[in-house]
Amino acid sequence: MVSIEPVVIDGHMFVASTVRLPKTTLLTVSNDKGYIMCGALDVGLLNSKLKDRGIIAGRAVGVRTIGQLLDAPLESVTLAARELGITPGTTGRNALLKML
């Protein structure tokens, strides 16, 4: 099952996606500039093989809902996210606000 819903943070619109798969759920919240995602995100791959794309993203682990993803501290972030001041430990919500 796939669900997509709007998420408003401080008056700014983001899109939350939930993909339920066997034994796991993929969670993302994004806008046109970047995204945060559950532990399935491979930040190392984005920083190495896809570095030239400048993908702005962060990963939170141990989350099971969109609400938890927004509130969790990011465990890792891409190099492009660091350029915006998003660092590990930044909450998902605050990371998204830096992606405006």
Side-chain angles (χ1 to χ4, degrees), residues 4-82:
I4 298 172
E5 59 188 11
V7 171
V8 179
I9 303 172
D10 291 350
H12 302 282
M13 184 68 65
F14 297 89
V15 176
S17 303
T18 302
V19 180
R20 298 195 189 286
L21 299 169
K23 301 183 183 180
T24 193
T25 301
L26 302 178
L27 303 167
T28 65
V29 181
S30 64
N31 67 2
D32 60 348
K33 192 169 185 180
Y35 60 93
I36 59 172
M37 189 172 171
C38 64
L41 179 65
D42 188 342
V43 171
L45 173 77
L46 299 180
N47 282 338
S48 61
K49 296 190 187 246
L50 303 178
K51 183 179 179 180
D52 61 317
R53 296 185 188 183
I55 297 170
I56 299 168
R59 166 185 146 147
V61 295
V63 297
R64 294 179 181 224
T65 67
I66 294 296
Q68 290 175 353
L69 179 59
L70 293 172
D71 293 335
L74 298 179
E75 177 265 342
S76 55
V77 300
T78 61
L79 297 171
R82 284 182 186 268

